Amino acid sequence: MKRCSSTLDLFPIGNCAVSALVDPAGSIVWSCQPRPDGEPVFSALLDPVAEDAGFWSVAAAGPARVTQDHLRNTAVLRTVFEAEDGSSFEVIDFAPRFRQWGRVHRPAALVRLIRPLAGSPRVVTRLRPTAGYGERRVEPSRGSNHAAYDFGAFRMRLTTNAPLSY
């Protein structure tokens, strides 16, 4: 199965400190960390036929119709998955940017909000970061509600309100 579009039909998200590209299937296929000029941790664009590395996917458990669009005048992407059984959910992708104490903060963070819209959708998410420009997968260390990935020069952490065993 091909991981990303070879036509570069991609949706950017970002906050001026971190950025990512999301493919038409709802997978983050490119993002450099901890800054845009860093090493790609999501590197599926380098090898679009690779099955199991360089991406962060959120998808329906079965066949689904997928639609995407940026929220008006923002770098916030909304992806809607409509399954054949009538259930649906949305994924809101963005990199936070906010004003606090008189300053604009742009943390090196990507947010993927997954919300049900109809029925009881079944969602599958997979996180497969790479190091060495896609040469090797980085394996996680797990906690009760997080997975951490050590890249040597920095650590990346996925935090969720769902148990990792799900």
Side-chain angles (χ1 to χ4, degrees):
M1 179 171 127
K2 208 169 191 185
R3 291 280 348 133
C4 63
S5 171
S6 61
T7 63
L8 297 181
D9 183 13
L10 302 168
F11 294 85
I13 59 172
N15 65 4
C16 297
V18 67
S19 60
L21 295 173
V22 181
D23 76 2
S27 293
I28 294 178
V29 295
W30 186 262
S31 184
C32 296
Q33 297 292 336
R35 302 180 350 195
D37 63 348
E39 181 179 331
V41 296
F42 301 120
S43 58
L45 289 182
L46 297 176
D47 187 1
V49 295
E51 295 268 339
D52 204 33
F55 63 91
W56 182 3
S57 68
V58 175
R65 182 174 162 259
V66 181
T67 56
Q68 290 175 304
D69 203 1
H70 279 101
L71 300 183
R72 184 180 169 104
N73 297 324
T74 72
V76 177
L77 178 64
R78 180 176 186 248
T79 304
V80 176
F81 295 83
E82 297 173 277
E84 291 176 343
D85 67 0
S87 64
S88 63
F89 66 95
E90 70 179 358
V91 179
I92 305 295
D93 288 315
F94 65 97
R97 181 179 174 156
F98 57 93
R99 185 172 291 281
Q100 187 176 27
W101 299 304
R103 295 179 44 213
V104 174
H105 295 272
R106 297 176 296 272
L110 298 173
V111 176
R112 304 198 87 185
L113 298 175
I114 303 169
R115 299 191 291 208
L117 298 175
S120 297
R122 293 185 41 137
V123 180
V124 176
T125 184
R126 295 173 47 202
L127 181 63
R128 302 287 190 270
T130 58
Y133 287 83
E135 289 295 316
R136 67 184 189 286
R137 276 187 47 191
V138 178
E139 297 301 324
S141 60
R142 298 174 191 268
S144 60
N145 68 337
H146 75 276
Y149 299 83
D150 189 351
F151 289 85
F154 68 96
R155 287 178 55 88
M156 184 174 75
R157 181 176 166 138
L158 166 71
T159 303
T160 178
N161 61 356
L164 290 181
S165 61
Y166 284 12

